[in-house]
């Protein structure tokens, strides 16, 4: 019983209750960094780190935080973790940190982080909050990676900066779809993912 | 003067917060069901951006940057506090929303009634923090330019949310595949609007 609940805490956010496509949280940054797979993966990892650890910290503090100022306290915890991530990226992955520009900073106001803190960490034990944070981060990362995979493949013909569309295709007249690199296509891609997911879920519910 | 007009047009149309950078998307999609409420939220966002961007500009350039504190004493020339940027910006945004809420409540109850419910939402709206972070990244020349940038971005956000709300009010009457209804179609509409806005790209005054 106990184990099953934990499993649900972990699996729900990845598929059935995905933070991006079902709860519509954290879309802001999800879309802007999905031009290349590499930046999407880095962003997903940074967010997972921030959500997981801020969940643990807030959950540890949950009995001492006064209700009235909890938002400010949460913001400070999150901002501290984001600064750690930002400095780390600047030190070791300077190019990627330049590409992500302001979006690392915007993890602070990412609704997934604040939403999980309010909805889960404030009323659950640190261990469960850690699992919940990891799962939500991964659910977010999953969507990011799917969108980035298609955008990079169709937009630049590469995956993880390796050329995958063979030169022969280009010689035969194939062209990269420049539209996929443009920001609006990210929205349309997410729209289509939402569509597929909902249609799938409906069929499942009807089948029951 | 020309420069100011340029920054304004650029921040409203070309670098539109929603269509080019997807900032403030969460509340953008959640609140854009009717024109009236979305107008209220849009005004609140524009208002907060106009206030917080110049304040953060001053803080950044007179306290946080490398060598920014030389006006206090020349010996501070090597002090670099820029790693504190995020935490200071978010603190300014959160406290300004609180302050504005209190001031508006005290002096203009009618404005508070129409705007008030949106103000708490705004502390965690990425558009506000994003405005300040973009301002820091693009290094504007003076506080006036920063203020115009903040105001322009806010107007752009207002424009985007009101037009989406108008479309969504009409689209309620259309037949949409069931799985796509609601959220899915909203994404695709925003995508198409974004494509239209890309037509403004490259305009320079």
């Amino acid at each position: 019983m106990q184990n099953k609940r934990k499993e649900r805490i972990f699996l729900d956010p990845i598929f059935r209750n995905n933070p991006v496509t079902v709860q519509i949280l954290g879309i802001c940054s999800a879309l802007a960094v999905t031009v290349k797979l590499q930046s999407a993966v880095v962003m997903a990892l940074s967010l997972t780190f921030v959500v997981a650890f801020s969940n643990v910290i807030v959950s540890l503090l949950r009995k001492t935080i006064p209700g009235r100022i909890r938002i400010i306290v949460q913001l400070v915890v999150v901002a501290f973790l984001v600064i750690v991530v930002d400095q780390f990226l600047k030190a070791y992955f300077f190019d990627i940190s330049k590409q992500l520009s302001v979006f690392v900073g915007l993890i602070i106001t990412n609704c997934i982080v604040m939403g999980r803190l309010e909805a889960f960490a404030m009323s659950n034990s640190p261990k469960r909050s850690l699992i919940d944070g990891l799962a939500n981060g991964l659910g977010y990362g999953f969507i990011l990676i799917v969108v980035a995979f298609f955008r990079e493949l169709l937009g630049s013909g590469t995956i993880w900066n390796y050329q995958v569309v063979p030169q022969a295709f280009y010689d035969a007249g194939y062209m990269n779809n420049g539209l996929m690199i443009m920001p609006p296509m990210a929205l349309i891609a997410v729209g289509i993912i939402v569509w597929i997911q909902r249609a799938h879920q409906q069929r499942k519910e009807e089948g029951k | 003067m020309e420069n100011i007009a340029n920054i304004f047009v650029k921040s409203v149309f070309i670098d539109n917060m929603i269509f080019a950078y997807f900032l403030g998307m969460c509340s953008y999609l959640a609140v854009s069901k009717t024109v009236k409420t979305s107008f209220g939220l849009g005004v609140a966002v524009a208002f907060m951006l106009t206030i917080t961007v110049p304040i953060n500009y001053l803080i950044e350039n007179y306290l946080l940057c490398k060598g920014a504190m030389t006006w206090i004493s020349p010996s501070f020339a090597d002090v670099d506090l820029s790693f504190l940027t995020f935490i200071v910006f978010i603190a300014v945004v959160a406290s300004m929303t609180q302050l504005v809420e209190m001031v508006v409540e005290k002096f203009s109850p009618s404005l508070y009634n129409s705007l008030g419910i949106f103000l708490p939402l705004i502390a965690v709206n990425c558009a506000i923090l994003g405005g300040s972070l973009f301002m820091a990244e693009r290094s504007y020349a003076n506080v006036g330019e920063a203020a115009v940038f903040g105001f322009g971005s806010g107007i752009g956000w207002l424009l985007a949310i009101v037009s989406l709300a108008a479309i969504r009010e009409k689209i309620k009457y259309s037949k949409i595949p069931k799985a796509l209804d609601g959220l899915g179609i909203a994404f695709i509409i925003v995508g198409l609007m974004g494509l239209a806005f890309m037509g403004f790209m490259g305009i320079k005054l």
Side-chain angles (χ1 to χ4, degrees):
Chain A
M1 184 68 200
Q2 195 67 25
N3 254 337
K4 204 156 197 189
R5 261 194 83 187
K6 263 195 194 138
E7 216 168 78
R8 283 204 48 196
I9 294 177
F10 188 71
L11 285 181
D12 259 13
I14 298 184
F15 298 106
R16 216 158 53 86
N17 206 3
N18 190 292
V20 178
T21 54
V22 180
Q23 301 175 25
I24 343 186
L25 296 176
I27 310 168
C28 332
S29 54
L31 301 173
V33 298
T34 50
V35 176
K36 288 263 187 246
L37 198 55
Q38 208 173 13
S39 50
V41 170
V42 171
M43 188 69 193
L45 288 178
S46 325
L47 186 106
T48 311
F49 170 82
V50 173
V51 186
F53 282 92
S54 59
N55 251 359
V56 172
I57 296 174
V58 169
S59 167
L60 283 171
L61 293 174
R62 71 182 188 280
K63 299 218 175 80
T64 46
I65 299 177
R68 287 189 61 116
I69 58 159
R70 62 177 196 284
I71 303 257
I72 301 274
V73 175
Q74 289 164 1
L75 277 177
V76 171
V77 171
V78 177
F80 157 72
L81 285 165
V82 171
I83 290 176
V84 171
V85 169
D86 185 54
Q87 298 289 329
F88 177 80
L89 287 180
K90 267 193 194 139
Y92 294 102
F93 302 98
F94 190 70
D95 293 340
I96 297 178
S97 136
K98 266 261 127 37
Q99 267 175 33
L100 291 174
S101 76
V102 302
F103 291 100
V104 176
L106 285 173
I107 294 178
I108 299 173
T109 49
N110 193 307
C111 334
I112 296 179
V113 180
M114 293 303 283
R116 288 333 285 171
L117 291 180
E118 272 291 295
F120 201 90
M122 286 302 279
S123 54
N124 278 291
S125 68
K127 210 166 148 197
R128 282 221 206 120
S129 307
L130 177 67
I131 299 174
D132 179 75
L134 282 177
N136 275 287
L138 291 177
Y140 167 88
F142 175 65
I143 300 293
L144 235 68
I145 288 168
V146 171
V147 175
F149 176 81
F150 284 108
R151 280 183 78 190
E152 190 175 348
L153 178 66
L154 299 175
S156 337
T158 57
I159 288 174
W160 200 266
N161 289 336
Y162 291 111
Q163 192 69 33
V164 285
V165 176
Q167 189 58 42
F169 275 42
Y170 290 105
D171 294 340
Y174 174 82
M175 280 220 277
N176 283 328
N177 186 351
L179 203 59
M180 289 305 281
I181 301 178
M182 301 297 180
M185 286 313 287
L187 282 164
I188 294 181
V190 174
I192 291 170
I193 292 178
V194 171
W195 187 6
I196 293 171
Q197 200 186 11
R198 290 213 171 161
H200 181 71
Q201 228 159 43
Q202 251 170 25
R203 210 172 310 139
K204 236 190 195 163
E205 270 157 27
E206 278 161 14
K208 257 178 200 167
Chain B
M1 198 60 221
E2 225 168 71
N3 201 8
I4 298 250
N6 197 8
I7 290 174
F8 182 75
V9 170
K10 208 166 167 228
S11 54
V12 174
F13 294 109
I14 304 165
D15 287 339
N16 188 293
M17 282 275 182
I18 293 283
F19 299 127
Y21 298 106
F22 316 109
L23 294 183
M25 213 67 197
C26 313
S27 37
Y28 179 70
L29 288 171
V31 184
S32 61
K33 290 203 177 92
T34 57
V35 171
K36 207 169 157 244
T37 48
S38 62
F39 186 76
L41 181 68
V43 171
V45 167
F47 188 60
M48 286 312 298
L49 267 171
T50 322
I51 296 178
T52 54
V53 171
I55 291 181
N56 280 334
Y57 180 88
L58 292 175
I59 290 182
E60 211 214 346
N61 283 290
Y62 291 100
L63 290 176
L64 296 177
C65 271
K66 190 166 194 267
M69 284 203 285
T70 39
W71 59 274
I72 301 176
S73 138
S75 58
F76 285 152
D78 285 334
V79 180
D80 185 0
L81 292 178
S82 53
F83 64 92
L84 286 177
T85 310
F86 293 154
I87 214 161
V88 171
F89 279 8
I90 193 71
V92 167
V93 170
S95 50
M96 279 318 289
T97 23
Q98 204 81 66
L99 197 70
V100 167
E101 196 181 342
M102 287 192 290
V103 170
V104 170
E105 192 179 8
K106 182 113 180 65
F107 291 106
S108 167
S110 64
L111 185 64
Y112 181 75
N113 284 337
S114 57
L115 246 168
I117 45 167
F118 299 114
L119 282 172
L121 267 179
I122 279 177
V124 288
N125 188 320
C126 357
I128 312 287
L129 183 65
S132 294
L133 291 175
F134 273 124
M135 174 275 297
E137 201 182 69
R138 290 180 196 156
S139 47
Y140 288 105
N142 55 46
V143 68
E145 285 186 5
V148 169
F149 166 73
F151 179 66
S153 307
I155 296 294
W157 206 90
L158 172 72
L159 192 71
I161 194 169
V162 171
S163 39
L164 178 68
I167 295 178
R168 280 180 86 174
E169 269 186 7
K170 292 284 171 213
I171 212 159
K172 263 192 296 207
Y173 305 107
S174 332
K175 271 194 188 145
I176 304 163
K178 209 171 148 226
L180 193 61
D181 199 11
L183 190 66
I185 196 75
F187 269 116
I188 291 175
I189 293 171
V190 179
L192 293 176
M193 283 162 79
L195 283 179
F197 260 68
M198 274 170 51
F200 290 115
M201 216 177 255
I203 292 181
K204 226 177 154 127
L205 286 186

